Amino acid sequence: MSDFVLETLSKFFLPLVSFLGGLFARRLVDWWKFVRARARYAYWRKTYPKDTILLLDSAIPKFEVDGQSISPTEEVFLIRPISGVGLEEINERLSKYHDTPPFVFEDDQVFGSESLSRLRDITGIEDIAERVEDARRKVCEDFVVRAEGRIFNGRKLGLRNFNFDRVGDDERSRLDLRVYETDYFTHSVMQRVIRQYMRENPQFIVSVEKNYKTLINERYFPFLTSIGLNVFLFTDLKRKLVFSRRSASTAGGNSGEGKLHVSMNEGLTFTDFQFQQRGEGQVTLLNCFRRGLREELGFNEYDNRIGDLNIYDTFIVRESFQFGLFGWCAFQGHFPEISEFRAQDKQMESRELLDEDFTGSALKEKIRDEAFVPYTRVGLENLCRIHGIGTFDVETRGFDYFTIWASVALEAVFGRRAGKPEQDKNK
């Protein structure tokens, strides 16, 4: 009898136990790796420089972007300059280059009204009309003397509202932005207004962070008069990453002059419309991206060595309250080719272009030395994370990390959402 039991165990039960044990061990290893990755990301979310950007939404590995991702509205926001201060001379000097003068001295257009009181109704800021009038005078003076890089005025697109949907069974992130018409003069005025207001009211950005979707979409969109596309460019079979050293004219009042910035930084404008045969058109990020590569780096817009544009982060720069997108693309060529390109804005936009090895050790050293523009650093670290490169150190023996790890582990086991990031509550 005992021999029969032993034989049965050896033939059936022991292999079954071994199989189940191996399966369990593999699942345990996968679970451990998953929890470790989520815990490290949650730790980074807790410790990354929150005084730099307000991260609105992130996609792994990228947002779904299509022809409807940027939707123009019929809303217009144009603050007109003051006549008689010297801007007429600029119009005259540039008349042979423009069908319409850059500076138009007409009534303001404020989201369906000609009165600045409309801004008070939208934002709830009682003295915003007075703030705008004061900023209008100072910005006119800046344009006359070309201060802070203000040498032209052109049509731009501002952010009216946003929606970050999840689509498909695998819940892919989709980019959905609605925009309004504005111009660079209006942008300059509203930038001066919001910067001064935030200095006087430090709790402003704190309140926005707690409920950013509602406050931005319904109240503070007049301040978001620009949509900045920030792109990192890979070269040398994705072994190199291209950076520009920021010039004073492109700093735009943000900190970081002389530090390393993204490869290309461009604002969405009316030149980024793509018209169809029937005369209708749409704004596309791809048009903005290729225009920026041509103007800032000297690329041919239709160079077939330029890879796809991948958008992975949406954010607001805290010190300026400007909306931006982080993206990346790969160039099937080598950095020396780019450094020799001739571009119309190359000298004005950056002091120099340089490349860096796309490795954790090389980038971690520069991040530690604070070589990057502050908000660029955050975008770079997220880019590295998407590509499996670690640029930050996690103190895994600390109490903070342990509590985060335990929260993630419990959520993974029991399906709890207690550790869900705060940003998800705003979606």
Side-chain angles (χ1 to χ4, degrees):
M1 181 66 179
S2 60
D3 293 339
F4 174 76
V5 172
L6 291 175
E7 184 178 358
T8 301
L9 288 174
S10 64
K11 286 185 177 181
F12 297 101
F13 290 101
L14 289 180
L16 178 62
V17 170
S18 298
F19 171 76
L20 293 176
L23 180 62
F24 175 77
R26 287 194 297 271
R27 294 295 300 272
L28 182 62
V29 170
D30 291 341
W31 177 85
W32 180 269
K33 290 180 179 179
F34 170 80
V35 170
R36 181 176 181 271
R38 289 292 301 271
R40 289 172 67 88
Y41 176 72
Y43 182 86
W44 178 84
R45 288 281 303 179
K46 182 178 179 180
T47 58
Y48 86 97
K50 297 181 178 63
D51 58 337
T52 301
I53 70 170
L54 170 58
L55 196 59
L56 301 180
D57 195 19
S58 297
I60 299 177
K62 64 178 181 178
F63 283 99
E64 293 284 326
V65 178
D66 55 33
Q68 304 302 317
S69 292
I70 310 293
S71 303
T73 67
E74 295 183 357
E75 295 184 85
V76 179
F77 182 31
L78 294 170
I79 295 176
R80 300 301 190 182
I82 301 171
S83 61
V85 297
L87 296 177
E88 291 87 350
E89 288 80 357
I90 298 178
N91 281 348
E92 184 177 353
R93 186 172 68 248
L94 299 177
S95 60
K96 59 181 178 182
Y97 303 108
H98 298 273
D99 295 332
T100 57
F103 299 100
V104 178
F105 308 101
E106 296 178 350
D107 292 330
D108 297 326
Q109 297 184 51
V110 188
F111 300 104
S113 173
E114 295 181 354
S115 172
L116 292 178
S117 62
R118 174 64 177 148
L119 291 178
R120 182 191 62 222
D121 299 337
I122 295 172
T123 66
I125 300 175
E126 290 296 327
D127 62 343
I128 192 169
E130 292 79 5
R131 291 176 180 272
V132 169
E133 291 291 2
D134 182 59
R136 189 202 314 250
R137 288 191 294 271
K138 293 178 179 177
V139 169
C140 284
E141 296 171 2
D142 288 344
F143 272 98
V144 170
V145 300
R146 297 190 174 192
E148 298 184 10
R150 294 192 173 101
I151 59 177
F152 66 91
N153 185 33
R155 299 167 74 192
K156 290 171 59 67
L157 295 172
L159 179 66
R160 177 57 182 84
N161 56 47
F162 63 84
N163 183 40
F164 303 126
D165 285 332
R166 298 294 186 259
V167 297
D169 294 336
D170 51 354
E171 296 189 352
R172 300 183 307 276
S173 303
R174 184 180 185 279
L175 192 67
D176 183 9
L177 308 178
R178 298 179 70 240
V179 298
Y180 58 81
E181 177 185 351
T182 185
D183 64 8
Y184 185 63
F185 182 86
T186 305
H187 171 68
S188 301
V189 171
M190 296 308 292
Q191 271 292 288
R192 183 178 284 273
V193 170
I194 190 58
R195 287 170 185 264
Q196 180 179 355
Y197 185 78
M198 288 194 297
R199 285 194 297 269
E200 297 172 2
N201 301 272
Q203 292 302 309
F204 170 82
I205 195 68
V206 177
S207 64
V208 172
E209 185 173 16
K210 291 179 179 178
N211 189 20
Y212 60 77
K213 184 173 183 179
T214 299
L215 290 179
I216 290 175
N217 285 349
E218 298 179 8
R219 291 184 59 180
Y220 298 139
F221 58 87
F223 296 118
L224 298 174
T225 47
S226 179
I227 298 175
L229 179 59
N230 301 266
V231 178
F232 292 99
L233 180 66
F234 287 101
T235 65
D236 298 78
L237 300 177
K238 295 184 71 174
R239 291 194 295 263
K240 299 281 188 178
L241 200 57
V242 178
F243 297 101
S244 63
R245 192 172 298 280
R246 200 174 204 179
S247 66
S249 63
T250 57
N254 292 322
S255 57
E257 178 187 345
K259 292 194 173 186
L260 300 182
H261 195 26
V262 294
S263 316
M264 186 218 79
N265 171 242
E266 193 62 59
L268 209 60
T269 74
F270 269 77
T271 61
D272 299 317
F273 268 94
Q274 176 176 306
F275 287 95
Q276 302 168 355
Q277 290 184 353
R278 60 178 180 272
E280 298 177 357
Q282 59 196 23
V283 184
T284 70
L285 286 173
L286 182 60
N287 287 352
C288 178
F289 163 62
R290 290 185 175 269
R291 176 175 59 83
L293 289 181
R294 172 175 55 82
E295 294 179 359
E296 296 189 13
L297 299 179
F299 277 91
N300 181 320
E301 291 185 51
Y302 302 101
D303 192 327
N304 58 16
R305 295 177 297 171
I306 301 173
D308 294 335
L309 173 64
N310 303 274
I311 305 297
Y312 61 90
D313 273 348
T314 62
F315 63 95
I316 285 179
V317 182
R318 297 173 76 99
E319 69 174 325
S320 60
F321 206 68
Q322 294 188 56
F323 177 81
L325 308 166
F326 276 125
W328 66 269
C329 77
F331 169 61
Q332 301 303 318
H334 302 278
F335 175 72
E337 298 177 68
I338 300 174
S339 62
E340 297 298 324
F341 286 164
R342 293 175 59 85
Q344 66 184 52
D345 296 338
K346 201 169 191 177
Q347 301 303 319
M348 183 175 65
E349 298 285 351
S350 62
R351 294 182 183 177
E352 63 174 334
L353 293 177
L354 63 158
D355 63 333
E356 188 63 61
D357 291 337
F358 190 57
T359 62
S361 57
L363 296 176
K364 184 184 293 186
E365 180 179 355
K366 289 197 174 294
I367 289 173
R368 186 167 52 244
D369 294 339
E370 299 184 352
F372 295 100
V373 173
Y375 78 84
T376 304
R377 170 198 162 180
V378 180
L380 175 60
E381 288 191 284
N382 277 345
L383 176 68
C384 290
R385 184 169 298 103
I386 290 172
H387 289 84
I389 293 178
T391 57
F392 69 104
D393 297 318
V394 177
E395 180 52 64
T396 57
R397 297 182 180 180
F399 179 74
D400 285 346
Y401 177 79
F402 174 77
T403 56
I404 292 173
W405 184 94
S407 174
V408 172
L410 288 173
E411 180 184 351
V413 173
F414 299 107
R416 296 177 181 176
R417 300 176 62 84
K420 193 171 182 62
E422 181 68 23
Q423 73 163 22
D424 289 351
K425 298 177 183 179
N426 281 283
K427 293 178 184 176

